Amino acid sequence: MTDDSLQGRVALVTGASSGIGAATATVLADRGARVALLARRQDRLDELVGEITLAGGTALGVPVDVTDADALTAAADRAAATLGPADLVVNNAGVMLPAPVEQLRTDQWQRQIDLNVSAAMHTIGAVVPQLVSAAAEGRRADLVNTSSIAAENIFPNFAVYAATKAFITHLSRHLRVELGAKDVRVTAIEPGIVGTELQDHVTDPGAREWLDDTRDTVEWLTPQDVAEVIAFTAALPRHVNLQQVTIMPTRQAT
Ligand code: NDP
């Protein structure tokens, strides 16, 4: 039986060229949403849009560097002009670059802050008017922010990444109250380890070793696992807001 629980919805997904974002865009389109996919790599976006279209869905690839606030606003406007105003935003682009703080990898601190914090805020700024007006029309409207279990737990050498995710989780709690008054739901998704390209960017040998070790003992989540939870969250009745969802691999302790 076909699941069309998101029929009529218009979604915008950042970080849609790989991992959780790509899987989420695909699942949302499969459930009936029209989906804008935002990321930098046009070839990956073209490929995904092709796959979604072939499967009978509607998708638009919008290549953009989301750390460029003006370009991001233009991308959100282009998506709205083509697909209609967004009522389901998955604010997901992110990067994880662990390293001992004494190494003073200020370049990596900045990259994480620019993408995980500043670009996430600019994404919210670009889409909130669309979400508020969708809700005012009586439609379901969702802002789903991808945080991490790192927002809650302590992972040595992941301090800056974890702090950016704590920002996202705490921000989400506040925005849920602020926007909930306007019937916009806000959700923080906090996954444990998911097998994606995120781990490929890690340069610190200690962190790489830790990740490799967990792979031997824990069956990591797949991007599809997280995508299914996001689709479920968005399909709930309008008066139900999953505020914070922690998704762990069964064998991952913290
Ligand atoms: P991926 O590396 O697979 O995906 C990251 C996405 O972000 C890519 O689509 C990438 O596309 C995009 N991106 C990176 N920089 C930019 C930029 N400047 N402008 C636009 N897009 C950008 O990792 P995940 O799918 O794992 O990560 C998605 C989210 O999930 C992140 O916020 C991450 O912190 C979070 N998360 C991941 C976990 C995991 O274990 N994998 C666990 C908990 C949370 P492109 O390079 O084409 O721009």
Side-chain angles (χ1 to χ4, degrees):
M1 201 174 75
T2 314
D3 179 347
D4 63 354
S5 53
L6 298 176
Q7 196 69 42
R9 304 287 299 268
V10 178
L12 181 149
V13 181
T14 69
S17 63
S18 66
I20 294 169
T24 300
T26 303
V27 169
L28 299 183
D30 187 55
R31 305 285 150 85
R34 302 194 292 279
V35 185
L37 294 86
L38 276 61
R40 291 167 303 179
R41 284 171 292 174
Q42 172 136 32
D43 55 337
R44 285 290 300 140
L45 295 179
D46 289 347
E47 203 178 311
L48 283 158
V49 167
E51 286 168 16
I52 290 170
T53 308
L54 199 63
T58 302
L60 172 75
V62 187
V64 63
D65 182 338
V66 295
T67 62
D68 178 339
D70 291 339
L72 174 61
T73 302
D77 290 349
R78 190 184 146 207
T82 309
L83 299 178
D87 57 37
L88 168 50
V89 173
V90 185
N91 189 12
N92 168 78
V95 66
M96 178 181 80
L97 303 168
V101 75
E102 286 170 292
Q103 286 182 5
L104 300 180
R105 291 302 305 267
T106 52
D107 56 331
Q108 296 195 341
W109 302 350
Q110 199 61 50
R111 263 184 73 196
Q112 293 175 96
I113 293 165
D114 286 349
L115 184 60
N116 302 1
V117 175
S118 301
M121 278 313 306
H122 287 305
T123 301
I124 291 167
V127 299
V128 155
Q130 299 178 34
L131 292 172
V132 168
S133 69
E137 288 167 11
R139 289 153 51 201
R140 284 173 295 172
D142 289 282
L143 171 62
V144 179
N145 294 319
T146 309
S147 182
S148 165
I149 192 63
E152 310 290 343
N153 298 339
I154 304 301
F155 298 94
N157 303 335
F158 284 69
V160 176
Y161 175 73
T164 66
K165 292 304 179 179
F167 175 94
I168 293 296
T169 289
H170 206 50
L171 174 85
S172 301
R173 288 195 195 113
H174 279 78
L175 290 183
R176 191 194 68 75
V177 177
E178 190 177 330
L179 297 176
K182 297 188 169 186
D183 293 312
V184 175
R185 302 181 293 193
V186 179
T187 302
I189 300 281
E190 296 187 337
I193 303 184
V194 189
T196 68
E197 293 180 13
L198 196 78
Q199 295 85 21
D200 300 345
H201 303 294
V202 175
T203 53
D204 180 63
R208 288 200 73 95
E209 195 182 326
W210 177 76
L211 286 164
D212 288 345
D213 286 351
T214 69
R215 214 190 255 281
D216 292 338
T217 53
V218 173
E219 182 179 348
W220 289 2
L221 297 170
T222 66
Q224 178 82 15
D225 296 328
V226 181
E228 291 289 348
V229 173
I230 293 173
F232 171 83
T233 300
L236 286 167
R238 191 169 179 257
H239 66 286
V240 181
N241 187 162
L242 281 188
Q243 168 172 307
Q244 196 166 314
V245 186
T246 305
I247 314 167
M248 296 296 278
T250 303
R251 280 179 175 260
Q252 184 180 349
T254 59

